[in-house]
Amino acid sequence: MGQIISDLSGELAQLFVSILSALPAIIGYLALIFLFLFLWGIVKKRLTPTQDYTSLKTVTFGDESTVVSDKAASIISVVLIFVIWGAFTGTSWLPNFLHAPGPFIGQDTFTYTVETEDGTRDDATVTLVSHRAGELPETPEITPGDGIAKDDVIVVQAYRTKLLSWDANDDVTRSEGAKIVAIDGREITRETDVETGFARVALTDKGTLNIEPGKGWQMESIWLPAPDSVVSRLMSVSRDGYQNVTLAEHLSYSLFRVIVGFFLGALIGIPMGYAMGLSNWFRGWFDPIVEFMRPVPPLALIPLVIIWAGIGEQGKIILIFLAALWIMAIAARSGVSGVAITKVHAAYSLGASKMQIMRHVIVPNSLPEIFTGARVAMGVCWGTVVAAELVAAEKGIGKMIVAASKFQDTDIVLMGIILIGIIGFGIDVLMRMAEKWLVPWKGRV
Amino acid sequence: MPGLQIQNISMRFDLPNGSHVQALQDVSLDLKQGELLSVLGPSGCGKTTLLNIVAGFLAPTEGSIILNDQPAIGPDAERGMVFQQGALFEWMGVRENVSFGPRMAGKRASEWAENVDHLLDVVGLQDFKEKMVYELSGGMQQRVALARCLANDPDVILMDEPLGALDALTREKMQGLVLKLWKETGKTIILITHSVEEALLLGERLLVMAPRPGRIHKEYRLPFADMGVGKDLREVKKEPDFGERREEILGMIWDMEEEIMGRTEESA
Ligand SMILES: Nc1ncnc2c1ncn2[C@@H]1O[C@H](COP(=O)(O)OP(=O)(O)OP(=O)(O)O)[C@@H](O)[C@H]1O
Ligand SMILES: [Mg+2]
């Protein structure tokens, strides 16, 4: 137990350090939010000098009805995400002046100073050529120069490092006791590296030089691809597919599982909820099952479902079915229980029979709750299907992003994540539209 | 004999903790066809319980309800009910709400359409027939509830504080409407209210109930309802008798409330 506590406190300390190191970024972002608030305030004053009704209210702080989502803030916020994303990936969508400093690309030189055993020193020049991934520039011709140390050329890909065996062409070698003591005239030891302005030079244990061209502030595309490359990947994958499966196929499989699983869940869950809402026996029967299953996250069932049903379609549909089932049952139950007794009394005293009350009062009265449940269930189902596909699937949007992550196709991973978000959001918008249309009285009683 | 007889009704609620509440004790009442009875009493004296028993939503521990010489058991379309609020079906439009009773009885639209239209005109909702009920104000919703009850043509109309949730002005208008409908349709009506003025204005007979156990304390026969039909109710309120009665009953209920407060303080 003590071991666990000390391990966990170590984790906590580490987490705290990471948060501290992210603090400047967080503060910078907050500053941007306020900066744009200020700028937009000025712009708005110019645009609309008239006052609307809300501006006549003197008490707005704490008045919930006066807080509405500011469209301008939403637009600026989303655009800013793309700008930050583009700036730190050097996208071609942004003008150069908005780019964060990129990695060093091109050619530059530094000198190293060799000291032999007897204390004589000599300088030589190293020409560094750094290039982007996928490009191979020509190695420039140089003359070795004079002295015991001869000039070198080294070609390094951006974001990579390379060892320079500087003594390969020199008159003295490391085995004879020669060693490098300075770079560009500044002292170098194993502990202190030298920053030349375009590269970082370090001395290895063996005495060679480890050369790392400057990385700048931009992210390597394997970490974070530029937005334009994500878009062009979207184009190419939706045209040609990824690993012989088209994007449409991936998406259709995922949506198919969600829709079929959700409908099965609703088909069983709603009658189950009604039974629980209307009969003591059924309430007693299903309560322990539902109350136990509800807090179990569907993801925790994935291993069991794989053991039972394999990784085929059935297993995933069972999983989605289970994800939707409890939510729909609980929604239907509370929809039925939530009917005001006066409505039932009114229907009885108007001469309605039990069946008529069921059909004309209890069912319509429960629809708003059921719709709320359906919206929640759809969200959970969509999340669950993606997660299930991450674990085991042959097709599906989740499968696509794990496969891409194995090949470090980060642009596909990112594209997949964005698609998952957009589709999840789209599903919710559709559900809300259906709700407006089918239960217009919701929340208005 | 047509009419409503409430015979020796007693109602005892057994509470889960083993004790019980005697909500009504031996309440008897004879209502002739077409009488309007208003019921007053301090809170908790069993008015709602009595009405629910008459409506058939509760079975009394003792006694029986006789309507037109037939024992009335369970809820029925003969005994219509108008609730304080929240009893309309908001998933239906105004017209669907009002025609609910006839439709549930399996009548065709041609049989009820004219009557429903007429009733909506009578309650002053001619311009709102196609609206959804959640688009209406509280006063309009209560008119829909009245029309819905009338469309079913019950013998007895039971009202539990039907105007309790309305503002004073709307309430006064609705009181006139209730009187008018009562005279035009000749229905037997039991109306529960907390307003002494309302009880005096609308009740041909007035029942004051006393609490613990709920029982009939005093009964009055009043001339004001007949005076008020088709007249300005404010004129009726200026009658010297009216003020006298109001003070008398207010004092009576006030004393009962005092007594309840005293008793709870003692037991506390
Ligand atoms: N279902 C019930 N179970 C237990 N006790 C009940 C129940 N219904 C009513 N009572 C009790 O019966 C008594 C009468 O209640 P009732 O609702 O009829 O009073 P009321 O006169 O309508 O009051 P108010 O004017 O506040 O509406 C109260 O003491 C109440 O606590
Ligand atoms: Mg009551």
Side-chain angles (χ1 to χ4, degrees):
Chain A
M1 198 61 214
Q3 182 62 36
I4 297 175
I5 290 175
S6 80
D7 284 356
L8 290 181
S9 7
E11 296 286 345
L12 197 63
Q14 235 172 29
L15 186 71
F16 192 66
V17 170
S18 333
I19 292 174
L20 274 186
S21 66
L23 218 51
I26 295 170
I27 292 171
Y29 187 67
L30 278 176
L32 279 177
I33 295 178
F34 284 104
L35 175 71
F36 279 110
L37 171 66
F38 175 70
L39 293 178
W40 177 243
I42 295 174
V43 173
K44 202 156 79 171
K45 238 184 205 154
R46 291 269 160 79
L47 290 179
T48 51
T50 52
Q51 296 196 326
D52 60 2
Y53 166 68
T54 46
S55 64
L56 297 176
K57 284 198 179 180
T58 53
V59 177
T60 54
F61 186 70
D63 178 359
E64 200 202 354
S65 65
T66 60
V67 177
V68 288
S69 168
D70 191 324
K71 291 275 185 317
S74 305
I75 292 169
I76 295 172
S77 141
V78 172
V79 169
L80 187 66
I81 288 176
F82 278 89
V83 169
I84 292 175
W85 180 11
F88 284 93
T89 50
T91 177
S92 56
W93 287 359
L94 285 180
N96 275 335
F97 73 89
L98 278 176
H99 287 170
F104 171 71
I105 303 289
Q107 184 172 334
D108 210 334
T109 57
F110 63 87
T111 60
Y112 65 82
T113 310
V114 178
E115 191 181 84
T116 57
E117 245 180 347
D118 55 14
T120 53
R121 289 186 172 199
D122 191 24
D123 290 354
T125 306
V126 177
T127 305
L128 168 69
V129 180
S130 181
H131 62 91
R132 291 178 205 284
E135 293 170 6
L136 240 194
E138 278 180 26
T139 313
E141 292 284 332
I142 52 151
T143 49
D146 41 39
I148 47 172
K150 298 284 190 290
D151 297 350
D152 296 285
V153 175
I154 186 164
V155 179
V156 190
Q157 185 185 319
Y159 298 111
R160 299 282 179 275
T161 61
K162 210 170 201 177
L163 289 178
L164 174 66
S165 299
W166 47 272
D167 55 351
N169 59 352
D170 290 5
D171 291 344
V172 288
T173 61
R174 281 172 288 152
S175 52
E176 296 160 8
K179 60 179 195 262
I180 288 185
V181 291
I183 297 292
D184 275 351
R186 278 178 287 158
E187 192 195 3
I188 187 168
T189 64
R190 286 201 191 128
E191 286 77 38
T192 51
D193 304 343
V194 171
E195 196 70 60
T196 65
F198 59 89
R200 181 183 203 62
V201 182
L203 198 58
T204 65
D205 288 349
K206 287 192 177 133
T208 54
L209 290 177
N210 188 26
I211 295 167
E212 182 183 16
K215 285 181 175 166
W217 288 79
Q218 290 183 12
M219 306 282 279
E220 201 180 346
S221 68
I222 193 167
W223 292 102
L224 181 69
D228 51 321
S229 78
V230 172
V231 168
S232 66
R233 268 302 215 182
L234 176 64
M235 301 294 186
S236 75
V237 171
S238 51
R239 196 175 51 234
D240 311 326
Y242 181 64
Q243 294 181 343
N244 299 325
V245 184
T246 63
L247 186 65
E249 212 171 342
H250 280 306
L251 288 175
S252 314
Y253 267 81
S254 298
L255 282 171
F256 168 79
R257 290 165 188 152
V258 167
I259 291 168
V260 172
F262 170 79
F263 270 101
L264 289 177
L267 204 68
I268 309 287
I270 293 174
M272 193 162 129
Y274 278 150
M276 287 170 77
L278 294 169
S279 139
N280 294 341
W281 180 254
F282 278 95
R283 168 73 66 102
W285 188 278
F286 286 121
D287 249 354
I289 302 176
V290 170
E291 294 303 330
F292 175 75
M293 288 306 291
R294 181 171 63 161
V296 176
L299 299 185
L301 300 174
I302 293 178
L304 192 64
V305 169
I306 290 177
I307 293 172
W308 284 354
I311 65 162
E313 286 316 299
Q314 292 200 358
K316 269 173 282 295
I317 288 175
I318 290 174
L319 196 69
I320 304 307
F321 163 76
L322 289 175
L325 179 67
W326 316 118
I327 299 175
M328 294 312 292
I330 289 168
R333 182 187 72 186
S334 65
V336 172
S337 318
V339 62
I341 189 67
T342 52
K343 288 191 172 59
V344 176
H345 278 171
Y348 266 122
S349 66
L350 288 165
S353 67
K354 269 193 172 175
M355 280 313 294
Q356 286 174 325
I357 288 176
M358 182 75 198
R359 174 162 147 40
H360 296 287
V361 180
I362 291 177
V363 169
N365 186 76
S366 67
L367 286 182
E369 286 272 1
I370 288 182
F371 258 95
T372 310
R375 262 179 68 192
V376 174
M378 265 300 199
V380 172
C381 285
W382 181 241
T384 306
V385 85
V386 172
E389 288 166 359
L390 292 179
V391 178
E394 284 172 355
K395 285 166 189 167
I397 185 79
K399 166 68 190 173
M400 187 184 87
I401 62 178
V402 256
S405 83
K406 285 194 183 120
F407 293 94
Q408 298 195 322
D409 285 327
T410 317
D411 41 7
I412 292 192
V413 173
L414 215 57
M415 173 197 99
I417 291 170
I418 293 172
L419 276 181
I420 289 167
I422 290 175
I423 291 172
F425 179 69
I427 290 175
D428 199 55
V429 167
L430 284 178
M431 296 292 284
R432 256 186 286 182
M433 278 162 58
E435 191 172 51
K436 263 236 172 81
W437 182 56
L438 288 169
V439 286
W441 66 89
K442 187 180 173 195
R444 302 188 56 177
V445 193
Chain B
M1 180 178 72
L4 178 73
Q5 280 96 47
I6 297 172
Q7 297 179 336
N8 308 96
I9 293 284
S10 291
M11 185 75 202
R12 207 177 74 165
F13 289 107
D14 294 319
L15 301 179
N17 63 12
S19 65
H20 29 250
V21 183
Q22 191 73 38
L24 292 172
Q25 177 96 49
D26 198 22
V27 175
S28 295
L29 196 71
D30 222 322
L31 271 183
K32 285 206 237 2
Q33 170 77 44
E35 278 187 317
L36 201 168
L37 171 81
S38 50
V39 181
L40 273 174
S43 189
C45 70
K47 305 182 293 291
T48 300
T49 307
L50 180 64
L51 211 67
N52 280 340
I53 290 172
V54 176
F57 304 142
L58 285 173
T61 20
E62 274 166 61
S64 49
I65 306 293
I66 309 289
L67 179 61
N68 301 334
D69 300 325
Q70 300 284 323
I73 298 160
D76 199 299
E78 286 166 349
R79 282 158 284 137
M81 185 109 171
V82 178
F83 298 85
Q84 183 172 6
Q85 61 178 351
L88 293 179
F89 308 130
E90 54 269 359
W91 44 92
M92 297 178 191
V94 169
R95 195 191 293 275
E96 286 75 33
N97 262 285
V98 174
S99 60
F100 186 81
R103 285 191 292 127
M104 293 305 109
K107 293 194 177 136
R108 268 178 283 119
S110 57
E111 293 174 76
W112 51 256
E114 208 176 314
N115 186 35
V116 166
D117 268 347
H118 169 70
L119 283 170
L120 283 169
D121 293 344
V122 170
V123 298
L125 290 177
Q126 48 278 355
D127 298 334
F128 299 89
K129 290 173 184 166
E130 313 306 328
K131 288 263 192 292
M132 296 300 284
V133 290
Y134 54 78
E135 296 170 299
L136 304 183
S137 71
M140 289 175 175
Q141 292 188 358
Q142 280 314 80
R143 292 186 216 193
V144 177
L146 269 175
R148 181 175 73 173
C149 189
L150 289 169
N152 216 25
D153 198 25
D155 291 337
V156 180
I157 298 180
L158 308 167
M159 302 189 185
D160 192 353
E161 300 177 41
L163 314 181
L166 305 181
D167 64 279
L169 212 69
T170 317
R171 190 164 184 161
E172 214 171 282
K173 280 191 203 153
M174 292 288 288
Q175 287 166 351
L177 179 65
V178 170
L179 267 187
K180 178 177 148 204
L181 290 173
W182 168 61
K183 265 294 155 204
E184 280 176 7
T185 59
K187 301 279 179 208
T188 314
I189 297 179
I190 301 180
L191 179 131
I192 291 178
T193 174
H194 271 131
S195 151
V196 176
E197 281 202 348
E198 187 169 285
L200 287 169
L201 280 174
L202 302 185
E204 209 180 5
R205 295 169 64 185
L206 191 160
L207 206 64
V208 181
M209 289 181 68
R212 309 194 181 200
R215 61 195 185 274
I216 295 175
H217 181 71
K218 191 149 189 191
E219 212 199 307
Y220 295 87
R221 282 201 167 268
L222 301 166
F224 309 114
D226 281 322
M227 289 182 199
V229 174
K231 262 221 295 199
D232 189 349
L233 293 181
R234 251 167 292 168
E235 292 300 315
V236 180
K237 285 189 205 169
K238 286 186 196 144
E239 296 278 325
D241 280 8
F242 190 91
E244 237 170 72
R245 277 287 145 75
R246 188 184 55 201
E247 291 315 310
E248 179 187 339
I249 294 170
L250 267 176
M252 197 184 294
I253 293 176
W254 187 251
D255 288 347
M256 283 190 237
E257 298 266 16
E258 292 264 89
E259 202 184 318
I260 299 173
M261 298 294 273
R263 246 191 279 173
T264 42
E265 264 160 35
E266 270 165 43
S267 64

